[in-house]
């Protein structure tokens, strides 16, 4: 396979904004790409940002409160910007300063989050629980489909229905109203058929202001659920059992002001551990919660590298030669689906065979084709990827298919021979704060440049 860029592509990349990765004055007809020149070894410490998935759920959770909320350690990401736009659209006043966000949701109205925004961010659907709990009625557009699978919201809807809401879907919009003459939802026993992160968050948030006790069985146990519960408790909510499969929430009448820091992003941290492993580099990460990284650390150790936990908020990766390992994605505390693509990039260059099985989402192996373009030896069978490690990858133009896939391609590019051009950065920018800057700080050779959109689309 010819992995080289066409002459036109090369010329475009050379001539357009060659000397600088600054955003050009007009970006019309241009798209950003990341050029990665492989082979540099990395060294140093990465500062890990606040957790995107925690931040998004907690931002939705601020709708529960009619006092001021301050969130700290908020990552600077496109998804966070979108969530800010959605909150603004429903009447929330926001003031952002660095990683701090002041939120005043006193005067939220009935206005609906615009479909254009909701369709770009699945997590925006999470506003349905808090809005219904606070107002007794709400309309939220259904989130659009997603590259990694169908991602229905039936478990969210069934939970709200069990708590006394009439829920109907009309013209792509979910209309939810508390049944009868009541304004408040009623506590209920809800068993989730699958420990969905989003559904657990929706029901937990709705239950904080419901009348009586709600018990969520087979709840998701992800650290982001615990962070959301901690946030709700900091406003006076009564929640127990978060971090286990049974969460109990005793509803209260109102919640009060809070000032809350978001936990560090375990997926970003694991992504950098993969960058260290694939480039055989020693790197350390700070701040992290090592427990949140248990499955990633265990898997990396099985693959060869040493991972040393240095105190309560720092880990260090010490490189060793890489060997294959099998991975199956599972709900927490199993191996996270959000780390699957990045680990696959490392396994592609690890000695021996590996099998990666994706069980959480039905269509999350699209990065295989892009890794193959770089010379990886991977075959897909059903929801498994069978990988035979190769000693070299070669740089190629590649297309991001989703957020974590885009990080996997950057990581593969760090270890590949020559230049990799990663396109489709709208995915990467959703979830990685300044990934180029952080990698460059470790010594990686990469930069963002603007190229004509049509030249790289094909
Ligand atoms: C969250 C994370 C995402 C992560 C995922 C799984 C956020 C913003 N996103 O997404 O990064 O990959 O958890 O760890 O926190 N499902 C249903 N019906 C529902 C809800 C989910 O069938 O009502 C299915 C989904 O299609 C999927 C599986 O359950 O196959 C897991 O989804 P879920 O845990 O809900 O993921 P999200 O909350 O969307």
């Amino acid at each position: 396979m010819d992995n080289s860029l066409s002459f036109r592509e090369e010329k475009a990349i050379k001539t357009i904004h060659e000397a600088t990765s600054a955003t050009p004055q007009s970006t019309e007809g241009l798209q950003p790409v990341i050029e990665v020149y492989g082979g540099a070894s990395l060294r140093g410490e990465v500062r890990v940002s606040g957790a995107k998935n925690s931040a998004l759920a907690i931002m939705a959770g601020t709708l529960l409160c009619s006092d001021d909320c301050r969130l700290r350690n908020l990552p600077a990401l496109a998804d966070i910007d979108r969530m800010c736009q959605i909150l603004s659209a429903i009447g929330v006043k926001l003031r952002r300063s660095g990683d701090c966000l002041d939120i005043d949701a006193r005067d939220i109205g009935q206005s609906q989050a615009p479909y254009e925004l909701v369709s770009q961010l699945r997590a925006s659907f999470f506003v349905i629980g808090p809005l219904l709990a606070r107002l007794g009625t709400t309309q939220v557009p259904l989130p659009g489909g997603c590259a990694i699978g169908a991602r229905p919201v039936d478990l969210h809807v069934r939970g709200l229905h069990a708590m006394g809401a009439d829920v109907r879907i009309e013209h792509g919009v979910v209309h939810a109203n508390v049944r009868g003459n009541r304004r408040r939802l009623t506590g209920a026993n809800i068993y989730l058929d699958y420990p969905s992160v989003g559904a657990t968050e929706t029901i937990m948030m709705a239950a904080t202001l419901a009348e009586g006790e709600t018990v969520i069985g087979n709840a998701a146990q992800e650290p982001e659920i615990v962070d959301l519960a901690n946030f709700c408790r900091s406003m006076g909510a009564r929640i127990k059992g978060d971090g286990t499969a049974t969460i109990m929430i005793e509803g209260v009448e109102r919640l009060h002001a809070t000032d809350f820091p978001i936990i560090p992003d375990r997926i970003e941290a694991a992504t950098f551990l993969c960058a260290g492993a694939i480039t055989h580099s020693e790197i350390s990460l700070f701040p992290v919660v090592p427990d949140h990284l248990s499955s990633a650390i265990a898997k990396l150790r099985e693959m060869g590298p040493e991972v040393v936990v240095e105190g309560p908020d720092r880990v260090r990766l010490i490189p060793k030669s890489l060997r294959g390992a099998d991975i199956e994605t599972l709900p927490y505390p199993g191996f996270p689906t959000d780390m699957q693509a990045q680990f696959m990039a490392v396994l592609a260059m690890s000695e021996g065979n590996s099998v990666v099985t994706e069980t959480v989402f039905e269509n999350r192996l699209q990065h295989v084709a892009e890794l193959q373009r770089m010379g990886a030896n991977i075959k897909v069978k059903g929801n498994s990827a069978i990988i035979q490690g190769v000693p070299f990858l070669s740089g190629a133009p590649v297309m991001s298919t989703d957020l974590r896939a885009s990080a996997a391609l950057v990581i593969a590019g760090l270890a590949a021979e020559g230049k990799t051009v990663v396109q489709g950065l709208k995915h990467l920018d959703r979830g990685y704060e300044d990934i180029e800057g952080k990698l460059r700080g470790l010594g990686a050779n990469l930069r963002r440049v603007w190229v004509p959109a049509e030249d790289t689309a094909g």
Side-chain angles (χ1 to χ4, degrees):
M1 184 189 300
D2 179 11
N3 282 338
S4 59
L5 290 174
S6 72
F7 176 71
R8 267 179 75 209
E9 285 167 345
E10 282 285 5
K11 193 159 165 261
I13 287 170
K14 277 209 175 69
T15 52
I16 306 266
H17 309 289
E18 160 110 291
T20 169
S21 54
T23 307
Q25 268 179 354
S26 163
T27 55
E28 209 186 312
L30 301 176
Q31 65 159 335
V33 298
I34 289 183
E35 294 179 357
V36 190
Y37 296 85
S41 76
L42 315 183
R43 192 168 187 85
E45 180 172 285
V46 180
R47 190 165 180 92
V48 176
S49 299
K52 170 182 82 78
N53 287 349
S54 230
L56 290 170
I58 289 173
M59 287 170 79
T62 62
L63 291 165
L64 291 164
C65 179
S66 33
D67 283 337
D68 296 326
C69 289
R70 169 168 285 185
L71 303 181
R72 284 177 288 116
N73 200 30
L74 209 68
L77 299 170
D79 271 7
I80 300 292
D81 296 346
R82 266 182 209 125
M83 193 57 144
C84 283
Q85 289 169 348
I86 286 161
L87 293 180
S88 295
I90 48 187
V92 179
K93 295 187 189 72
L94 300 168
R95 202 159 45 93
R96 200 158 164 188
S97 153
D99 69 354
C100 208
L101 181 67
D102 288 318
I103 300 172
D104 170 0
R106 275 181 189 79
D107 298 323
I108 49 171
Q110 297 292 329
S111 24
Q112 190 179 304
Y115 173 72
E116 306 75 69
L117 290 174
V118 175
S119 63
Q120 292 174 48
L121 177 64
R122 177 175 165 86
S124 60
F125 186 73
F126 302 173
V127 299
I128 193 167
L131 285 176
L132 184 61
R134 183 112 176 258
L135 304 172
T137 176
T138 189
Q139 298 91 46
V140 181
L142 275 170
C146 174
I148 61 176
R151 303 183 83 171
V153 291
D154 54 320
L155 299 172
H156 302 240
V157 167
R158 289 213 311 253
L160 296 174
H161 186 261
M163 295 170 75
D166 275 331
V167 187
R168 59 180 209 288
I169 298 171
E170 269 173 21
H171 309 296
V173 176
V174 180
H175 298 253
N177 301 291
V178 177
R179 272 197 291 278
N181 295 327
R182 309 172 77 96
R183 261 208 73 199
R184 284 176 78 188
L185 290 164
T186 316
N189 272 335
I190 298 163
Y191 180 87
L192 296 177
D193 290 341
Y194 185 89
S196 151
V197 174
T200 303
E201 291 171 342
T202 289
I203 298 165
M204 190 165 78
M205 287 189 276
T208 58
L209 292 179
E211 263 181 81
E213 190 185 53
T214 299
V215 179
I216 312 175
N218 198 26
Q221 302 174 41
E222 269 71 0
E224 293 75 20
I225 301 282
V226 177
D227 208 29
L228 177 63
N230 282 333
F231 165 73
C232 292
R233 274 190 291 263
S234 76
M235 300 189 295
R238 297 172 64 184
I239 304 175
K240 284 189 192 146
D242 44 296
T244 76
T246 308
I247 303 180
M248 286 145 301
I249 307 115
E250 181 69 44
V252 295
E253 284 203 21
R254 86 185 290 280
L255 297 171
H256 56 70
T258 187
D259 181 335
F260 189 83
I262 310 284
I263 52 168
D265 195 314
R266 64 194 169 105
I267 310 296
E268 187 198 17
T271 302
F272 279 98
L273 288 176
C274 287
I278 201 170
T279 57
H280 301 278
S281 304
E282 183 168 331
I283 61 166
S284 62
L285 302 176
F286 168 86
V288 291
V289 180
D291 268 359
H292 295 174
L293 290 164
S294 298
S295 59
I297 290 176
K299 199 47 73 178
L300 279 166
R301 287 177 177 153
E302 189 187 329
M303 289 159 65
E306 267 179 51
V307 184
V308 186
V309 176
E310 297 180 326
D313 52 10
R314 192 182 296 269
V315 295
R316 177 183 300 276
L317 179 113
I318 298 164
K320 293 274 159 68
S321 54
L322 293 164
R323 53 178 178 267
D326 294 344
I327 289 178
E328 183 173 327
T329 64
L330 287 168
Y332 192 85
F335 189 91
T337 176
D338 286 352
M339 296 180 192
Q340 180 256 103
Q342 304 89 311
F343 270 75
M344 193 185 294
V346 182
L347 291 171
M349 292 190 75
S350 301
E351 202 182 332
N353 295 330
S354 307
V355 179
V356 173
T357 305
E358 172 60 50
T359 74
V360 178
F361 290 109
E362 69 269 28
N363 191 19
R364 207 174 195 181
L365 292 173
Q366 294 168 77
H367 41 279
V368 168
E370 301 304 304
L371 291 171
Q372 283 168 338
R373 285 175 64 74
M374 300 177 73
N377 185 350
I378 309 178
K379 286 190 183 70
V380 174
K381 212 166 178 201
N383 63 344
S384 292
I386 298 141
I387 303 158
Q388 199 174 355
V390 294
F392 306 104
L393 291 178
S394 58
V398 283
M399 178 60 83
S400 309
T401 48
D402 67 66
L403 167 56
R404 305 305 168 184
S406 60
L409 297 173
V410 171
I411 288 171
L414 293 173
E417 288 178 343
K419 179 166 80 175
T420 297
V421 180
V422 182
Q423 303 166 47
L425 298 191
K426 67 173 191 219
H427 298 294
L428 193 70
D429 293 340
R430 282 187 43 217
Y432 287 94
E433 178 175 316
D434 190 23
I435 191 169
E436 303 108 272
K438 289 185 183 185
L439 283 170
R440 260 201 309 271
L442 293 173
N445 193 356
L446 78 172
R447 63 180 188 165
R448 182 177 292 234
V449 291
W450 290 82
V451 299
E454 67 277 13
D455 273 351
T456 52

